[in-house]
Amino acid sequence: MIAFFYISAAVALISSVLAISRANAVHALLYAIVSLLSVALVLFVLGAPFAAALEVIIYAGAIMVLFVFVVMMINSGPEATKQERLWINLRIWIGPSVLTAILTVELLYIMLLLPSHSVGHPDVGPKAVGVALLGPYVLGVELSSLLLMAGLVGAYHLGKHEEKRTGTS
Amino acid sequence: MTNIPADYGLFLAALLFAVGFVGVLARRNIIFILLSIEIMLNAAGLAFIAAGSQWGQPDGQIMFIFILVTAAAEVSVGLALVLQLFHHIQTVDSDAANSMRG
C-alpha cells in the first residue's frame, strides 16, 4: 500500500521541481497542475478522499485556470501568436503527459483492481468533516466567507477601471 | 485504513514546502513567485491532512479547507495585482517594481 504513496510523492516532487524551474510560464503551469493532481492522489492514499476531490476541483481546476487566464492576458499581442505556434509542439507535452499517465495508472489500479476498502478508505469520512465544520468550526466558516468576499471585492476593484487610470497618468 | 506513517506525509510536505520556498527566493518572474506560494500553501495543507489522518480527527481536513479558501482569496487578489503591475510597468519582473511612485 505504501508503494502508492511513494509513487505519487515522487511524481509530486518531480513535477514541483520542474514547475519552478521552467523558463516558460505555460510549461510551468502544466507541471504545476500535475503537481497538484499528484498531491491530490497522496491525500487520497492518506485517507482523505474529500480533501482530494476539493484539491482537484479548486486547486487544479479553479486556481490554475486563473493562472492560465493571467498568463494569456499578459502574453496577448502579435508576437504571442508566434509564441503560441511554438507552444503547440508535441515535445513539450511529453513530460506532463508521462507524469499524468503514471498517476492515472495508479488511480485506475487502486480503483479497479484492489478491493474497495484497502486503499483510501477514510478513517474520517466527509460526514465527520461536515459535522465538525458546521459545529465547533462554524465561526471559521463565517470568517472564510468574509475572506472570500473581501477577495472578490478586491479582485474586482483591482481589475476594474484600467483605462481611466492609464488615461489620467 | 491508513497504514502510512504520518512522518512520511510530513516529510513530503516539508520537501514540497522547501521546493516552493526555493522557487519564491530564486525566481524573479512574479507569476512564478505566486505559483511557488501556491505550492507552499499546498504543502501546508498536506501536512495538516497527514497529521489529521494520523490522529483520526476531522480537524486536519477542516484546516485544509480553510487553507484552500485562503489560497483562493490570495491568488485572486494577487493575480489582479499582477495585472495592474503589468499595465503599469509592462513587465512581470518583480525587481522592476521598485519605484513606488505609482
Side-chain angles (χ1 to χ4, degrees):
Chain A
M1 297 311 143
I2 201 150
F4 299 121
F5 176 81
Y6 280 136
I7 293 171
S8 35
V11 173
L13 276 177
I14 292 170
S15 54
S16 299
V17 169
L18 287 173
I20 67 158
S21 60
R22 293 301 94 184
N24 193 318
V26 175
H27 304 168
L29 284 177
L30 278 175
Y31 281 111
I33 291 171
V34 177
S35 163
L36 294 175
L37 289 179
S38 53
V39 171
L41 203 49
V42 169
L43 298 184
F44 179 72
V45 174
L46 279 175
F50 182 55
L54 281 182
E55 169 106 9
V56 172
I57 293 169
I58 298 179
Y59 260 117
I63 293 180
M64 282 302 137
V65 164
L66 273 183
F67 270 101
V68 171
F69 270 149
V70 169
V71 168
M72 291 301 166
M73 281 175 81
I74 283 175
N75 279 328
S76 65
E79 75 275 11
T81 42
K82 198 171 61 184
Q83 213 171 13
E84 194 86 20
R85 213 161 280 127
L86 285 177
W87 287 341
I88 307 173
N89 184 355
L90 282 182
R91 204 158 42 82
I92 291 161
W93 296 81
I94 286 176
S97 304
V98 166
L99 293 175
T100 318
I102 292 172
L103 292 179
T104 312
V105 167
E106 184 186 345
L107 186 62
L108 287 179
Y109 186 80
I110 291 175
M111 287 288 187
L112 299 178
L113 295 181
L114 290 180
S116 62
H117 289 313
S118 58
V119 171
H121 181 250
D123 287 335
V124 183
K127 184 178 176 184
V129 176
V131 166
L133 192 62
L134 294 181
Y137 286 99
V138 70
L139 187 63
V141 174
E142 298 295 336
L143 286 176
S144 301
S145 64
L146 275 180
L147 179 68
L148 280 178
M149 190 69 199
L152 179 67
V153 172
Y156 179 70
H157 177 71
L158 286 173
K160 203 174 52 173
H161 35 70
E162 184 52 45
E163 309 85 14
K164 195 191 298 178
R165 193 174 277 256
T166 50
T168 52
S169 64
Chain B
M1 188 178 78
T2 60
N3 47 11
I4 295 163
D7 302 356
Y8 293 2
L10 292 177
F11 192 62
L12 174 65
L15 283 177
L16 281 177
F17 192 89
V19 168
F21 191 60
V22 169
V24 170
L25 291 183
R27 300 305 296 257
R28 291 273 66 85
N29 189 330
I30 202 162
I31 289 186
F32 280 91
I33 293 177
L34 276 177
L35 200 62
S36 306
I37 289 174
E38 287 304 307
I39 291 175
M40 288 163 71
L41 281 170
N42 200 20
L46 176 61
F48 271 114
I49 295 276
S53 78
Q54 167 78 4
W55 296 103
Q57 297 293 320
D59 306 71
Q61 298 191 38
I62 288 168
M63 284 303 155
F64 177 79
I65 293 172
F66 287 159
I67 288 176
L68 209 64
V69 170
T70 314
E74 174 258 341
V75 80
S76 63
V77 175
L79 286 174
L81 279 173
V82 167
L83 280 181
Q84 284 282 350
L85 186 74
F86 180 73
H87 286 299
H88 274 262
I89 63 176
Q90 312 301 324
T91 178
V92 285
D93 185 2
S94 62
D95 282 343
N98 56 0
S99 63
M100 289 290 282
R101 287 195 299 265

